[in-house]
Amino acid sequence: MLVVYQSLESVGHKETTGHSVVSGNSFKHRAQTNAGKVYDLDNADRKLTFPVPHYDFATKKIVGKDMEVEFATGPESKSFSETFKKGQDADELLEFLSGVIDTIVKSTMNRTSTNGGFTSRPPTLIVLGELYGDELMGKIILGYEVIYGMNPTGDSRHRFTVLKQQHSQIDEFDLKIHRFDTLSDKNKDEKAICMTLTVMGWLMAFVHIPNHICGNAASVVEYLKFNAMRSTGKEELDLLIGDTNQKSSGFMSSALQGQLGGTDWVSSIHGGEQELVGYGGHSTFSISGTNSGFDTHFDIACTHHAVAKIKDNKVVGSDTTDPAYDPAFVFHGLTDKYTELNNKAYAYSDHNGVIIEVLRRKDVQAYKAHRRNYILCRSCNGRLTGIETLTGIHLNCRTLALTYVPKNDGSLKRVATHQTPSPTKKRKLNPGKGDDDQDL
């Protein structure tokens, strides 16, 4: 299952609305100004030409087709967001969020492409930080349904919204949302509330660690323990993902050593840099930061379980030849933070999102017990009903379930988790018995 966390940028509004992400400071003007640190732009001409994968029927190959986009300037970004702040148009909010989802999906599909680009997958779950609004609940935005939102303090900087791919086949055992049960006037200390989800059995904390405690290791640990205990009654945490506000790249992994259920916490940052998907989700390159200045890794994923990191479509930082190597997660890298609005590329946040993949269930036996009465589709592993239970496959199966199988050379290969069964062999009639039994 692919999961993406993307922090947006709000302005501390108190009203229960999603509009704070597109007004005032939300179009991060510093990120807009710093686009030239990542893309080859000059001050006079802010146009960028980039290749888009295109299938050539003549050569039967995927080739690059050049596209061009113009990046807005800092003043244009500020003017655009100020205009929205005055109008607060509901349709414009949905248009903005559609652009955000489109960028996240393109980035994720680019990072998880296989078979020479013929196979790629969108995220199953998207968690947006600094966003919540009553008006968004139940909305379907570019194929993603808003299934939950939380606003624990009223401060829009600490809100969260969960979106699920509309046609994904997940049930309550694949995803459990731990709803918050207390309200506070502030969200600045160890009692601050974050979004916690259990995904395929793994407890994940999606965070926006408060600035007041982000530099104090003990306070950060207490903050995470509080949220893990609040959610499940246990302090153990399987994965931390989100905006940590850490001042140095190794701060979080160092703070979590021996804490919250594990001794060795490994972060998504590899070698001091992180791979970023370029504008439009087509080219990849490394950057040294996820914040608006591209110089500090605020946004990371961190876990004490086995993890695979992907670079140039190969596993790095892990010993794939170890017989005990059984990764729980794949860290695919970062999303872009620019999307096309009003025919120009705008920074929709001052943060890059983090793309991870959950490879396996934490407790397979519990899952089997949960679904022991189900008959599952041999292609997508979803529940079958009615006549489908006789065919063994959904009549309109949308997808083939795939998983990573690491090879000895460190590369990754996509293979089907279920082999297609051979045709049923019929037993010849036995005249002596007078029946027509068949092998099943």
Side-chain angles (χ1 to χ4, degrees):
M1 182 185 296
L2 284 162
V3 182
V4 176
Y5 172 85
Q6 174 67 67
S7 174
L8 298 179
E9 178 63 22
S10 65
V11 291
H13 286 183
K14 292 291 185 179
E15 65 269 20
T16 306
T17 175
H19 290 93
S20 60
V21 299
V22 283
S23 62
N25 200 32
S26 59
F27 287 102
K28 291 305 294 185
H29 316 312
R30 187 181 174 203
Q32 194 73 38
T33 302
N34 286 326
K37 286 187 176 182
V38 178
Y39 305 101
D40 187 16
L41 307 174
D42 58 48
N43 293 329
D45 184 5
R46 294 178 62 85
K47 293 182 179 180
L48 174 71
T49 300
F50 58 96
V52 177
H54 174 72
Y55 183 73
D56 188 337
F57 286 93
T59 62
K60 296 182 179 180
K61 293 182 179 180
I62 293 181
V63 296
K65 183 179 180 181
D66 285 345
M67 299 290 288
E68 184 180 75
V69 65
E70 181 178 357
F71 279 72
T73 63
E76 285 178 318
S77 171
K78 186 173 182 179
S79 175
F80 188 24
S81 53
E82 286 294 337
T83 300
F84 180 85
K85 185 177 181 180
K86 296 175 182 178
Q88 298 231 343
D89 182 82
D91 291 337
E92 197 168 6
L93 171 62
L94 293 178
E95 181 182 353
F96 165 78
L97 292 176
S98 294
V100 172
I101 299 300
D102 180 61
T103 299
I104 292 172
V105 169
K106 286 179 178 176
S107 297
T108 306
M109 293 178 72
N110 172 262
R111 297 310 301 266
T112 58
S113 65
T114 58
N115 300 329
F118 284 97
T119 304
S120 57
R121 298 161 300 140
T124 309
L125 294 174
I126 298 174
V127 178
L128 297 178
E130 304 195 38
L131 171 70
Y132 171 76
D134 289 336
E135 76 276 24
L136 296 177
M137 296 307 299
K139 294 283 187 184
I140 296 176
I141 305 172
L142 214 67
Y144 283 82
E145 180 184 1
V146 178
I147 59 173
Y148 182 64
M150 60 181 286
N151 180 24
T153 66
D155 188 327
S156 59
R157 289 168 293 190
H158 298 284
R159 298 172 183 172
F160 295 89
T161 293
V162 181
L163 301 96
K164 179 182 74 72
Q165 189 184 23
Q166 187 180 4
H167 299 293
S168 61
Q169 297 178 353
I170 61 176
D171 61 20
E172 68 276 7
F173 205 82
D174 294 307
L175 172 65
K176 181 177 181 181
I177 298 173
H178 301 285
R179 291 164 168 79
F180 70 98
D181 52 9
T182 58
L183 289 171
S184 172
D185 291 333
K186 62 180 182 178
N187 207 48
K188 298 180 179 180
D189 54 24
E190 292 87 343
K191 300 298 184 183
I193 295 175
C194 68
M195 170 69 74
T196 51
L197 305 177
T198 296
V199 179
M200 295 176 68
W202 307 97
L203 180 61
M204 303 180 181
F206 295 81
V207 303
H208 181 180
I209 296 179
N211 289 324
H212 282 61
I213 64 172
C214 65
N216 185 305
S219 295
V220 169
V221 170
E222 286 303 312
Y223 159 79
L224 294 171
K225 282 184 176 181
F226 168 74
N227 279 281
M229 182 65 72
R230 174 185 65 83
S231 300
T232 65
K234 299 179 181 179
E235 292 184 351
E236 181 172 329
L237 183 69
D238 294 304
L239 184 134
L240 163 71
I241 180 171
D243 177 7
T244 64
N245 278 315
Q246 63 178 0
K247 304 305 179 185
S248 60
S249 296
F251 175 83
M252 287 305 304
S253 57
S254 175
L256 292 174
Q257 295 297 318
Q259 304 289 336
L260 294 154
T263 57
D264 183 21
W265 282 75
V266 180
S267 88
S268 56
I269 298 168
H270 181 72
E273 290 189 333
Q274 179 60 281
E275 281 190 302
L276 165 71
V277 175
Y279 179 79
H282 302 296
S283 57
T284 339
F285 37 83
S286 291
I287 61 172
S288 57
T290 63
N291 61 332
S292 58
F294 296 103
D295 52 14
T296 305
H297 284 107
F298 286 165
D299 304 85
I300 67 168
C302 198
T303 182
H304 60 90
H305 298 285
V307 64
K309 303 174 189 177
I310 306 303
K311 186 173 184 179
D312 299 328
N313 206 31
K314 292 184 178 180
V315 178
V316 295
S318 303
D319 183 6
T320 59
T321 63
D322 185 347
Y325 178 62
D326 187 18
F329 309 108
V330 167
F331 291 156
H332 287 284
L334 305 175
T335 66
D336 201 351
K337 70 175 78 174
Y338 296 89
T339 193
E340 192 166 349
L341 299 164
N342 286 6
N343 299 317
K344 289 188 178 182
Y346 285 86
Y348 63 80
S349 174
D350 61 339
H351 294 266
N352 291 105
V354 184
I355 306 169
I356 66 165
E357 182 171 11
V358 186
L359 292 182
R360 57 182 171 87
R361 299 185 182 280
K362 186 174 183 179
D363 189 338
V364 177
Q365 296 304 318
Y367 178 71
K368 288 181 177 179
H370 170 71
R371 306 189 75 170
R372 62 184 178 271
N373 294 323
Y374 293 0
I375 299 177
L376 305 181
C377 173
R378 65 173 181 263
S379 175
C380 70
N381 206 34
R383 185 179 182 180
L384 298 175
T385 58
I387 195 173
E388 294 176 339
T389 60
L390 302 178
T391 64
I393 191 171
H394 288 113
L395 299 180
N396 295 303
C397 191
R398 299 186 58 85
T399 182
L400 175 66
L402 300 173
T403 187
Y404 276 113
V405 175
K407 295 168 67 179
N408 289 338
D409 61 4
S411 65
L412 293 180
K413 181 182 180 182
R414 304 291 286 183
V415 299
T417 57
H418 300 280
Q419 298 295 327
T420 303
S422 58
T424 302
K425 294 181 180 180
K426 294 185 177 180
R427 182 183 297 169
K428 293 182 179 180
L429 295 177
N430 187 333
K433 293 184 178 181
D435 57 36
D436 58 348
D437 290 341
Q438 295 179 350
D439 289 333
L440 298 178

